[in-house]
Amino acid sequence: MQSLAEKPQWAHLLHYRLHPLRGRYLSQNDSPEFFLATDGKEDPAAELKADLNAFLQTSQADNESAQCQFPARYHWLKQQLPEVAFSDQRCPEFEEWRDELDAHALTLIFPASHINSPSSMYGHTLVRMDRADDSRSKLLAYSVNFAANADPTDNELVFSYKGLSGGYPGVVSVMPYYVKTNEYQHMEYRDVWEYRLNFSKAEVDQFVRHIWETKDTYYDYFFFDENCSYRLLALLDASSERADLAEAFTYKAVPVDTIRALWQNDLVENTEYRPSAASDMEFKSTQVNDEVLAAAQALVDSDEDIESLIAALNAQDQVRALELSHAYARYLAIKKKQASPVLRKRTLALLSARAKRPATADFADVPMPAVRDDQGHLTSRAGLWGGQVSAFGETQAYSDLSWRIAYHDILDLPSGFVPGSQIQMGQWDLRVWEDEGVKLQRFKVVDVLSLSHQTYFQRPVAWAVTAGAERFLGAEAELHGYLKVAFGRAYETAFGRWYGLAETQLLADNQFEDGYQLSFGPRAGWLLQHEQVQAQIEANWQPLNVGDDTVRRSLRAEGGYALGQNLQLRIKAERQLFATGAGTAGVSEVSAGMQWYF
């Protein structure tokens, strides 16, 4: 019995993990109903004994037996103990639910990262249970999702805190796939990658049994580690002796890293790409001339007669304008939440006008990205830098050791990541001075930057928020805490991305006159994200301030060069100016470094 309880698959079925602090196994399921033994959460052997005794009971009422409650455990124990004469109890409720799912294959679904949604900045994963007949609509299949059961009245700050601290119960849910598709492709406008898994029918059946026994329980939800992607790996582990995926994710589970784990364990059969409605609309807009774009927008924004608005266009351009206008109307109704009776009436009129025209729009399909999200650089990063700082006629050399937990900054290798986006959490920079010893130069708690650019139909707000502790340039500079928030616009051109933000900064330390400085000013820059070369120039000026009269300005130029998929050369030059009533002081820094992603 003890040897059976020590088998990895028993641990997978009960979600036992070696606790990093307690040094013993503990189930991550936090629902008492998930265990039959009183100490089942902490004792795999005691739980196995209690389960076995319960599974041996006979003459149980329909649906009331332990066999019906935990069919995956029962199935596994029957295989492990063929000499034991188990008597199968009737479980019509489970069988009806299983038959309704009709699962024959599993596909991992990855709606790509969405920087403007705090709950899914890193992306999200769920599992679709496909039917045997691939010709049947996949939208009608059922999907398995794990998510925090959040209080809808919590604001984003409370949501973030509870998500980080395990303040929400995480629950497994089963719902029609079209519900999630509508949420991600239409409501959230996110591209979707599908990864068909090579699970056998027997493994799929065990997955379905395990979902049944977990769907009414809960796990404490942690944004960084025990999140949606981690839990799905654990559910797959419980379904297949071939899978041992979750064990590798102790402190963080980024969705793209969990997908890489599937590839590394040879569990992916093939992939498919499904562009979002937004990607489809934007790609179509690149295939028409300015007259069609103007007509498509006027068809929605104006109340003029539809036929007169497109009368000047040829037959195919009329069709293209109508299809683009319909996509634009959906964008306004769903993305911008501008649903109204007027817009609905206009949308129906557009569809009616399109239906009267036999011509085809002949739009090309959105091409599949050359690099999938899981093929980009790895999400942790270490760096070694060397440089020097010059001020008041003196120069001091230094070396930096840098480590970042996750995930991507705007000058990292861009392939596989959303252009113009940056999400960093947990970055430490230790600086070794030539004459001043070792100091913490910077600690970024969170650093998010979204430079989503303006398009003909979409007008996203560029924004940034970052918090942590850092020093100004110079060996004598003291550490101060900071919170910086900015909003503005970004524009994509053939020569790179240009942006302008209005930024407010709150700095706190006794080096400031009143112990803090609250300032406001412009931040502007240029960004180039090429596969091989990356570059950024940014200026920041904080002329309006309280708490300290020092006016700060800075100019920074930084470049990167890809040396491999997970290796990058960086160079940087920066100058900071501090203007007070006594004059202006300047400090300059130049540096170069190597960054390794792992």
Side-chain angles (χ1 to χ4, degrees):
M1 188 70 70
Q2 183 64 36
S3 62
L4 201 58
E6 291 176 354
K7 287 199 170 185
Q9 201 59 20
W10 182 247
H12 289 163
L13 283 164
L14 274 297
H15 295 259
Y16 291 117
R17 295 290 182 273
L18 185 63
H19 196 282
L21 301 178
R22 299 184 184 183
R24 58 189 177 87
Y25 281 91
L26 190 70
S27 176
Q28 294 175 334
N29 192 295
D30 297 293
S31 178
E33 293 76 17
F34 193 64
F35 309 96
L36 293 180
T38 306
D39 53 351
K41 182 177 174 65
E42 302 179 0
D43 191 336
E47 181 60 28
L48 189 144
K49 182 179 179 181
D51 287 13
L52 185 57
N53 289 334
F55 294 153
L56 287 169
Q57 294 183 26
T58 60
S59 302
Q60 302 281 288
D62 287 0
N63 304 314
E64 298 298 323
S65 68
Q67 294 179 15
C68 299
Q69 187 178 0
F70 302 113
R73 295 181 209 177
Y74 176 55
H75 177 79
W76 184 77
L77 278 174
K78 281 180 68 176
Q79 290 183 320
Q80 300 300 311
L81 302 170
E83 70 281 8
V84 177
F86 291 100
S87 176
D88 292 347
Q89 303 299 295
R90 281 178 44 79
C91 306
E93 287 186 3
F94 164 69
E95 291 165 0
E96 182 180 351
W97 178 82
R98 179 198 59 197
D99 293 345
E100 171 65 22
L101 298 184
D102 192 21
H104 285 71
L106 302 180
T107 299
L108 187 97
I109 308 297
F110 175 63
S113 59
H114 184 58
I115 196 169
N116 290 328
S117 174
S119 62
S120 52
M121 284 182 177
Y122 297 109
H124 180 71
T125 54
L126 61 149
V127 171
R128 189 182 64 213
M129 298 179 284
D130 293 322
R131 309 283 174 80
D133 184 0
D134 276 343
S135 63
R136 295 176 64 184
S137 174
K138 294 177 180 177
L139 295 176
L140 298 177
Y142 284 85
S143 62
V144 176
N145 187 57
F146 179 77
N149 191 10
D151 186 339
T153 63
D154 287 346
N155 59 40
E156 292 184 350
L157 186 61
V158 174
F159 177 86
S160 299
Y161 170 74
K162 289 186 175 180
L164 291 170
S165 61
Y168 291 123
V171 295
V172 176
S173 60
V174 178
M175 64 185 71
Y177 179 56
Y178 68 83
V179 175
K180 297 303 293 185
T181 300
N182 284 337
E183 179 179 342
Y184 286 115
Q185 281 191 277
H186 300 158
M187 295 182 68
E188 297 193 31
Y189 273 53
R190 296 159 62 172
D191 295 345
V192 171
W193 285 98
E194 298 185 1
Y195 301 83
R196 180 70 169 258
L197 306 182
N198 57 13
F199 271 38
S200 66
K201 182 62 170 67
E203 291 168 328
V204 174
D205 290 344
Q206 183 69 341
F207 180 79
V208 171
R209 295 186 195 100
H210 189 57
I211 296 304
W212 170 267
E213 59 192 27
T214 59
K215 65 184 180 62
D216 294 323
T217 66
Y218 69 91
Y219 307 76
D220 289 342
Y221 185 95
F222 293 89
F223 183 72
F224 276 123
D225 48 10
E226 294 183 44
N227 54 26
C228 63
S229 296
Y230 173 87
R231 189 55 55 201
L232 287 183
L233 292 190
L235 295 172
L236 294 172
D237 286 346
S239 311
S240 170
E241 301 271 359
R242 297 185 296 145
D244 187 14
L245 304 163
E247 184 69 23
F249 298 90
T250 304
Y251 300 107
K252 70 180 176 75
V254 179
V256 292
D257 289 339
T258 66
I259 294 170
R260 291 188 182 106
L262 292 170
W263 282 105
Q264 291 162 2
N265 285 270
D266 295 325
L267 295 174
V268 180
E269 188 172 289
N270 57 53
T271 61
E272 281 191 48
Y273 168 69
R274 298 188 183 279
S276 67
S279 295
D280 187 59
M281 180 178 70
E282 294 299 336
F283 188 65
K284 286 177 177 174
S285 70
T286 65
Q287 301 174 54
V288 299
N289 57 38
D290 290 344
E291 288 73 22
V292 174
L293 287 174
Q297 189 172 49
L299 284 168
V300 177
D301 293 341
S302 162
D303 58 359
E304 292 182 37
D305 177 66
I306 289 176
E307 296 299 333
S308 58
L309 285 170
I310 58 176
L313 303 177
N314 63 43
Q316 186 180 57
D317 281 348
Q318 288 183 1
V319 170
R320 290 185 160 197
L322 287 167
E323 292 195 4
L324 265 178
S325 66
H326 178 245
Y328 177 50
R330 288 176 61 205
Y331 165 75
L332 293 177
I334 298 174
K335 183 72 175 178
K336 305 297 289 182
K337 300 179 181 177
Q338 293 182 7
S340 68
V342 174
L343 184 58
R344 281 196 292 272
K345 184 178 179 181
R346 188 67 169 181
T347 302
L348 290 174
L350 291 170
L351 288 173
S352 176
R354 173 64 184 93
K356 295 175 182 174
R357 289 167 167 80
T360 61
D362 201 23
F363 282 123
D365 292 335
V366 180
M368 179 183 293
V371 179
R372 298 190 309 269
D373 293 49
D374 61 288
Q375 293 176 313
H377 67 72
L378 301 180
T379 53
S380 294
R381 190 185 72 187
L384 177 62
W385 290 71
Q388 65 179 32
V389 172
S390 302
F392 309 110
E394 295 184 359
T395 299
Q396 278 193 288
Y398 68 83
S399 299
D400 273 358
L401 294 174
S402 177
W403 173 59
R404 184 187 68 193
I405 299 174
Y407 158 79
H408 176 76
D409 84 26
I410 207 155
L411 280 179
D412 280 337
L413 305 177
S415 297
F417 290 84
V418 178
S421 70
Q422 167 178 295
I423 308 172
Q424 298 191 95
M425 289 190 180
Q427 178 176 329
W428 301 78
D429 294 342
L430 286 180
R431 179 158 294 184
V432 184
W433 288 99
E434 187 177 27
D435 301 318
E436 300 288 338
V438 180
K439 294 181 179 179
L440 175 64
Q441 180 65 23
R442 185 177 301 105
F443 171 53
K444 292 180 179 178
V445 177
V446 61
D447 184 14
V448 182
L449 173 62
S450 173
L451 297 180
S452 300
H453 64 276
Q454 307 289 295
T455 70
Y456 197 88
F457 293 109
Q458 299 188 73
R459 299 286 187 271
V461 174
W463 61 277
V465 59
T466 180
E470 65 180 3
R471 301 175 193 270
F472 296 121
L473 301 182
E476 306 298 330
E478 298 178 9
L479 199 66
H480 62 266
Y482 68 85
L483 171 64
K484 303 174 184 177
V485 179
F487 294 95
R489 297 287 188 187
Y491 301 89
E492 178 75 359
T493 72
F495 305 101
R497 193 174 300 250
W498 303 80
Y499 58 93
L501 308 171
E503 182 169 86
T504 184
Q505 299 184 355
L506 175 62
L507 313 183
D509 187 64
N510 57 14
Q511 64 186 283
F512 303 106
E513 291 174 6
D514 295 332
Y516 76 96
Q517 183 186 56
L518 179 63
S519 61
F520 179 81
R523 171 183 171 184
W526 166 80
L527 173 68
L528 177 68
Q529 290 180 297
H530 184 271
E531 182 179 348
Q532 196 69 40
V533 177
Q534 305 79 41
Q536 183 183 28
I537 299 175
E538 183 176 284
N540 199 311
W541 180 34
Q542 297 287 304
L544 306 175
N545 49 62
V546 295
D548 190 294
D549 293 335
T550 304
V551 174
R552 292 175 288 109
R553 288 173 287 168
S554 68
L555 178 64
R556 175 174 56 85
E558 189 167 357
Y561 185 81
L563 298 175
Q565 183 179 354
N566 289 297
L567 190 63
Q568 184 192 41
L569 174 68
R570 286 270 186 102
I571 56 173
K572 181 169 64 176
E574 183 172 5
R575 181 163 178 78
Q576 294 180 345
L577 296 173
F578 304 87
T580 64
T584 299
V587 186
S588 301
E589 176 185 276
V590 292
S591 59
M594 197 72 74
Q595 303 204 122
W596 172 52
Y597 305 87
F598 60 98

